[in-house]
Amino acid sequence: GNYEKPLNKKVLLSNPNVSLVTMKKQYQGDAVILRLFNNSIDDADTSITIGDDKTFLAFGKFEVKTLLYENGLFTESQECII
C-alpha cells in the first residue's frame, strides 16, 4: 500500500530516557498521533519540538503519554487513541 509520512518536520526530544514509539496520522481527523514512553525507573521531564512548535511533558516512571499534534498545537490525550 501507499505510505504517507505523517510529518515532514524533524521531531526532537530533550530527554534520552523518553522515546517516541509511535507517530502516525489519526484515522478520524487530521491530527498526528505521537505516543511517548519514559524508559526510566525515575520520573522524567522532556520537551518535544516539531519544527518551530514546542511543548513540555512530565512523566512518571515507565509512563506512556499520547499527544495529538495539529496546526502547530499539542494536545495531551487521556486515551490511547489509534
Side-chain angles (χ1 to χ4, degrees), residues 6-26:
L7 290 171
N8 283 328
K9 298 179 182 178
K10 192 179 287 190
V11 178
L12 300 172
L13 297 170
S14 64
N15 187 330
N17 289 326
V18 176
S19 299
L20 176 64
V21 293
T22 303
M23 182 174 75
K24 65 183 198 125
K25 187 177 178 305
Q26 185 179 19

Side-chain angles (χ1 to χ4, degrees), residues 33-73:
I33 297 170
L34 304 161
R35 195 141 14 257
L36 300 108
F37 174 64
N38 175 15
N39 299 290
S40 174
I41 62 170
D42 298 316
D43 292 347
D45 294 329
T46 192
S47 65
I48 180 168
T49 305
I50 300 176
D52 293 331
D53 306 316
K54 187 175 196 174
T55 193
F56 296 91
L57 298 168
F59 288 81
K61 62 181 179 178
F62 301 115
E63 185 176 11
V64 175
K65 289 191 182 254
T66 300
L67 290 180
L68 298 176
Y69 175 75
E70 185 175 16
N71 297 324
L73 300 175

